[in-house]
Amino acid sequence: MSGTLNKVMLIGHLGEDIKMHYFEGGNCIGRFQLATNEVYINKSTSEKITSTEWHNLVVRNKAAEICEKYLSKGDKIYVEGRIKSRQWQGEDGVTRNTVEIQVTEFTFLSTKKENESNKQNQVTELPKNTNFDASNNGLPINDLPF
């Protein structure tokens, strides 16, 4: 078998609110950064060290709209996706490169909006712990029509 695999799984916190970009024809993408932390002990000083890695995430169309509606900076999310490198020419003529995670599935683990609603005793239907298939118009995986 000569197949390959490009799959990423991350659990982290949003470093910013979703930034939406809309295109002609009704399509859209949402971009945000996700922070993952690694904690370890420095053997020589016994100091606890936290190292943060930032990941650029991209969600598309209905999935992007769902993320924009429910997620905000600081929220915890699980995502699956694939790594995609991209290159473009900046307005200053300089060639730029970036590495992004193209999200294919996601699960909300905690949201600030959920916590705020609970404090106000309002009933809300946040899809916490529901798996979403970003490649299937953002439908919850357990609600797929087949």
Side-chain angles (χ1 to χ4, degrees):
M1 185 170 172
S2 62
T4 64
L5 177 66
N6 179 353
K7 184 169 185 160
V8 176
M9 296 182 287
L10 300 168
I11 295 176
H13 294 273
L14 273 72
E16 59 193 354
D17 290 341
I18 311 291
K19 294 177 184 163
M20 297 293 291
H21 304 279
Y22 295 91
F23 305 100
E24 289 183 25
N27 290 331
C28 64
I29 62 171
R31 296 181 185 277
F32 61 97
Q33 288 193 318
L34 188 76
T36 56
N37 296 320
E38 177 183 5
V39 179
Y40 61 93
I41 304 295
N42 181 321
K43 291 182 181 177
S44 60
T45 65
S46 298
E47 180 184 3
K48 183 177 170 181
I49 307 291
T50 301
S51 173
T52 302
E53 187 73 33
W54 289 96
H55 311 275
N56 297 312
L57 275 63
V58 177
V59 289
R60 298 186 181 283
N61 300 320
K62 184 66 175 173
E65 292 170 352
I66 290 170
C67 286
E68 180 190 34
K69 180 176 180 180
Y70 291 109
L71 294 174
S72 57
K73 182 178 179 177
D75 291 343
K76 190 173 186 178
I77 186 173
Y78 166 81
V79 298
E80 289 185 21
R82 64 183 187 282
I83 298 172
K84 179 82 173 173
S85 300
R86 196 166 53 86
Q87 188 176 73
W88 75 98
Q89 195 86 17
E91 291 180 15
D92 56 4
V94 175
T95 300
R96 304 211 192 298
N97 297 293
T98 190
V99 175
E100 299 172 328
I101 307 301
Q102 302 284 326
V103 176
T104 56
E105 293 182 25
F106 55 93
T107 302
F108 301 153
L109 300 177
S110 68
T111 64
K112 284 185 180 177
K113 293 176 184 174
E114 174 187 51
N115 295 336
E116 290 169 6
S117 293
N118 288 343
K119 288 178 186 173
Q120 297 170 0
N121 293 326
Q122 294 176 345
V123 176
T124 183
E125 293 185 25
L126 289 178
K128 181 180 175 189
N129 292 327
T130 299
N131 293 334
F132 292 92
D133 183 345
S135 62
N136 191 41
N137 292 323
L139 289 174
I141 289 175
N142 52 353
D143 288 350
L144 294 178
F146 51 83

